[in-house]
Amino acid sequence: MKPLKIVIVGLGLIGGSMAKALKQNTSHQVLGMDQDEDALLDACSCGAIDGKAGRDDLKTADLVYLCVYPEGALAFAREYGPLLKAGSVLTDACGVKEELCAAMAALPGQYTFVAGHPMAGKERSGFAASDPSIFVGASYILVDTGAPDWAMVLVRERAEEMGFGRVVRTTPARHDQMIAFTSQLPHALACAYVMSPRCPEHQGFSAGSYRDVSRVANINDALWSRLFLDNQKALTQELDQLIANLSRLRDAVDRRDQEELRSLLRTAAQIKRQVG
Amino acid sequence: MKPLKIVIVGLGLIGGSMAKALKQNTSHQVLGMDQDEDALLDACSCGAIDGKAGRDDLKTADLVYLCVYPEGALAFAREYGPLLKAGSVLTDACGVKEELCAAMAALPGQYTFVAGHPMAGKERSGFAASDPSIFVGASYILVDTGAPDWAMVLVRERAEEMGFGRVVRTTPARHDQMIAFTSQLPHALACAYVMSPRCPEHQGFSAGSYRDVSRVANINDALWSRLFLDNQKALTQELDQLIANLSRLRDAVDRRDQEELRSLLRTAAQIKRQVG
């Protein structure tokens, strides 16, 4: 297969890690764009990209990754999408899909849009935190928005080259509902958890369960407030469900109802053993 | 210092790990007691203990660890406490302290009771899961119940020998309040979390935050229902606090109030950065 010309827009944690993974594992040409000149320089000097992409590179690129906030992805597609050639693929890495995919579908352009969501991250952000090992074994979600198979395959193969362990296909609505539970809800509850008046005194009294539940509380409020609101309906539903489940446990504890409490804990343990 | 004669009652995850840590790092004589003959045999054959402790060993032991459920700890102290010699120390590893310490104080015996809580664990239980590395760097809480300093020092020095990273002293009431937040609440919310109808479908849509929040949901319902109820007041308070904080986030999402949502997330992120 002929190496592709790939442009990565946004060299933060995800874009930087993608660039490094592609340079490490493939012979594709990898170019970068970023408003932050320092990130571009860092990426060039460590070999994460072959160079900075300009307008002419967008005209000849085979594949463009949007690794920026949702509003940035839309703004880029609106401004630069008309430059992209016929047969090229524009794909994104945004964490919420339904609103974005509908907005993307309304934009003009000769490219094919493939909606994607690499399920990887860590507590730190920015190019300095980028690390291709975060993709190893992780899921890459491809969201069906009517893109033809060849375009889905193009993005899927790159995900495999980056080291992702599985590629999952789903609809925008199901993506957003599942992500509300698997990703947004843990972030919301980590934040709610550390707001306890006991939290500042935890040192010396805490172990692995504190560490794990609170890990993602050091949240990027600009990004996550946007993701939460873009998925308002599904996340509200998950929060209501969690609050109801916590209330059942709370009431069983408060009533000292050991039978009910054991039954709830046993149910949870069975679910966790079954679903992993 | 002369090696001590130490008896460990209950060779499960914690007792087994303590035995292994002491044998690995010290020259103390380490004997074990367990209702499960297989656990005793396993512990003997892998060198985690020097042998099985009988009644005569209890009479001459310098230090006895109760690594059993709270009711088992009380039952043991009631039955065998009168055998222990003057100058010996009986200590425990139970996760809730106020009720247990009050009950222990009422028992007769020539030994000194030191209430302890090694802050370590993992998802699996039993001697087969025991592993002294779970103690490395962890906290060991010593609870003040009027024991003299020499007895506290005896238990603290063994904690250091086992590899614990810090030894913290506190009162029974403060212990239980802090543990409600740092340990019991994460277990309760892991259980509430996996009870979402979306949980059985998480595969392919989940990453680190799902894994971390749900990790302890495979809970031992017999042990934890007892721990929850022994700490009913403090845990109910923490659950109320968490439900209130989740409800604030939920309402901000539901109202699409981005300012309020960002403010809540920013507060959480600041707390996490400050307190670790």
Side-chain angles (χ1 to χ4, degrees), chain A residues 167-201:
Chain A
V167 179
V168 177
R169 277 178 76 154
T170 191
T171 63
R174 180 162 151 77
H175 170 276
D176 288 359
Q177 190 175 49
M178 289 307 301
I179 290 305
F181 170 68
T182 59
S183 171
Q184 299 185 329
L185 191 59
H187 282 77
L189 68 83
C191 291
Y193 177 71
V194 300
M195 287 194 262
S196 164
R198 258 61 61 192
C199 192
E201 308 159 51

Side-chain angles (χ1 to χ4, degrees), chain A residues 26-90:
Chain A
T26 75
S27 57
H28 303 308
Q29 185 187 7
V30 180
L31 301 175
M33 294 182 82
D34 203 298
Q35 294 173 329
D36 178 356
E37 285 291 330
D38 287 343
L40 274 170
L41 280 174
D42 288 350
C44 275
S45 63
C46 77
I49 56 175
D50 294 306
K52 179 177 168 178
R55 285 177 72 90
D56 286 347
D57 294 306
L58 289 174
K59 290 178 187 170
T60 53
D62 301 301
L63 178 56
V64 177
Y65 285 93
L66 298 173
C67 299
V68 291
Y69 286 16
E71 58 269 38
L74 268 175
F76 184 95
R78 197 172 289 122
E79 183 169 355
Y80 297 105
L83 296 180
L84 302 182
K85 70 179 181 186
S88 69
V89 168
L90 178 68

Side-chain angles (χ1 to χ4, degrees), chain A residues 99 119-121 139-141 166 168-170 174-175 177-179 181-222 224-226 228-233 235-243 245-250 252-258 261-273 275-276, chain B residues 99 119-121 139-141 166 168-170 174-175 177-179 181-222 224-226 228-233 235-243 245-250 252-258 261-273 275-276:
Chain A
E99 286 190 24
M119 291 294 298
S139 281
Y140 199 105
I141 308 176
R166 63 196 290 182
V168 177
R169 277 178 76 154
T170 191
R174 180 162 151 77
H175 170 276
Q177 190 175 49
M178 289 307 301
I179 290 305
F181 170 68
T182 59
S183 171
Q184 299 185 329
L185 191 59
H187 282 77
L189 68 83
C191 291
Y193 177 71
V194 300
M195 287 194 262
S196 164
R198 258 61 61 192
C199 192
E201 308 159 51
H202 82 87
Q203 295 276 359
F205 296 94
S206 57
S209 59
Y210 168 86
R211 183 188 60 233
D212 284 356
V213 166
S214 68
R215 181 175 61 84
V216 293
N218 186 7
I219 200 166
N220 176 335
D221 62 278
W224 284 88
S225 63
R226 175 64 195 256
F228 283 7
L229 294 181
D230 282 354
N231 203 13
Q232 180 235 22
K233 205 177 134 191
L235 180 56
T236 304
Q237 184 187 14
E238 286 301 330
L239 282 163
D240 283 339
Q241 182 77 59
L242 180 67
I243 290 168
N245 292 338
L246 281 169
S247 298
R248 289 176 68 187
L249 286 166
R250 182 250 176 242
V253 172
D254 187 48
R255 285 198 317 270
R256 295 184 185 270
D257 184 344
Q258 187 162 17
L261 186 55
R262 281 194 67 169
S263 163
L264 290 168
L265 299 184
R266 202 158 45 231
T267 299
Q270 279 165 353
I271 293 169
K272 179 64 181 164
R273 280 196 301 275
V275 309
Chain B
E99 286 191 25
M119 290 294 297
S139 281
Y140 199 104
I141 308 176
R166 64 195 289 178
V168 178
R169 275 178 77 156
T170 192
R174 181 163 150 78
H175 170 276
Q177 191 176 45
M178 289 307 300
I179 290 305
F181 170 68
T182 59
S183 170
Q184 297 185 331
L185 190 59
H187 282 79
L189 70 83
C191 291
Y193 178 72
V194 300
M195 287 194 263
S196 164
R198 257 63 59 192
C199 192
E201 308 158 52
H202 82 88
Q203 295 277 358
F205 296 93
S206 58
S209 59
Y210 168 87
R211 183 189 61 233
D212 284 356
V213 166
S214 68
R215 181 175 61 85
V216 294
N218 186 8
I219 200 166
N220 175 335
D221 63 279
W224 283 88
S225 62
R226 175 61 194 260
F228 283 6
L229 295 182
D230 282 354
N231 204 14
Q232 181 235 21
K233 205 176 133 195
L235 180 57
T236 304
Q237 185 187 13
E238 286 301 331
L239 282 162
D240 283 338
Q241 181 77 58
L242 180 67
I243 290 167
N245 291 339
L246 282 168
S247 299
R248 289 177 69 189
L249 286 165
R250 182 249 176 245
V253 172
D254 188 47
R255 285 198 318 269
R256 296 185 185 268
D257 184 344
Q258 187 162 16
L261 186 54
R262 281 194 69 170
S263 164
L264 290 168
L265 299 184
R266 203 159 44 231
T267 300
Q270 279 165 354
I271 294 169
K272 179 64 180 166
R273 279 197 302 275
V275 309

